[in-house]
Amino acid sequence: MAVSSRITVIGVGNEFRRDDGVGPVVVTGLRERAARGGLPAGIRLVCSDGEPGRLIGLWEGAELAVVVDAAHAHPGRPGRIHRLELDGYRAWQAGPASSHGLGLGEAVELARALDRMPARLIVYAVEGADGSLGTGLTPAVAAVLETLVEQVGQEITGHLAGPSGGATPRGARL
């Protein structure tokens, strides 16, 4: 496969807080897929604790940044996936809240103010059931891992294919 054009996937979370670890687990799945040749070379696959400054540093200069994070929603449905596409011109709109104190919304607004947004930013927020101390995802969140890895892979290949690449429609909920 051809070398990618500046693409970064960021798994946000803490693997020692149950469902909050969904982002890093998805990155692990993507690394396994890349090792089998299932992703183009050069995709940057990283994990983050979600601190806004670190997120901005990870996505700065990317043509495509995909962020996978756990979310809280009320009422919630554990395992439900929300897909949000943010471009450099739209203001952040409140949606499912990140499971971190300062969240992705703050990072987006700060990056926008500093002119450090990626060209395209896509967020997959997964509603979690349990953010307590411990390892392992709950069954509802674990059940969507394969779907998440597949969807992020499609985002990458769709981006590389160009505007008609077949990515999930903007703002879709899966």
Side-chain angles (χ1 to χ4, degrees):
M1 289 187 169
V3 173
S4 75
S5 58
R6 302 181 58 115
I7 297 172
T8 299
V9 178
I10 305 168
V12 176
N14 181 340
E15 62 191 324
F16 299 106
R17 294 197 62 95
R18 307 274 300 162
D19 288 342
D20 188 50
V22 69
V25 174
V26 168
V27 166
T28 297
L30 289 165
R31 285 181 179 142
E32 292 168 359
R33 179 183 243 191
R36 294 188 309 269
L39 286 177
I43 304 295
R44 187 172 177 209
L45 302 169
V46 295
C47 295
S48 172
D49 61 4
E51 191 277 323
R54 283 189 278 279
L55 283 173
I56 293 168
L58 290 171
W59 72 42
E60 184 177 17
E63 289 180 15
L64 171 66
V66 179
V67 175
V68 181
D69 193 5
H72 297 293
H74 301 285
R77 194 174 88 211
R80 181 169 46 179
I81 301 167
H82 302 265
R83 180 190 180 276
L84 307 160
E85 185 166 350
L86 306 172
D87 60 32
Y89 305 102
R90 292 188 354 197
W92 173 262
Q93 296 176 347
S98 170
S99 61
H100 313 285
L102 281 177
L104 186 57
E106 289 84 359
V108 169
E109 288 307 317
L110 181 58
R112 188 170 280 121
L114 297 173
D115 195 28
R116 293 175 66 188
M117 284 288 288
R120 285 183 66 211
L121 175 60
I122 298 170
V123 177
Y124 282 89
V126 183
E127 292 182 30
D130 184 357
S132 66
L133 291 175
T135 57
L137 302 173
T138 60
V141 174
V144 301
L145 285 176
E146 191 173 315
T147 298
L148 277 166
V149 170
E150 181 62 30
Q151 287 296 319
V152 173
Q154 288 178 10
E155 295 287 358
I156 293 166
T157 56
H159 175 78
L160 292 172
S164 61
T168 306
R170 179 178 277 214
R173 288 205 171 136
L174 305 173

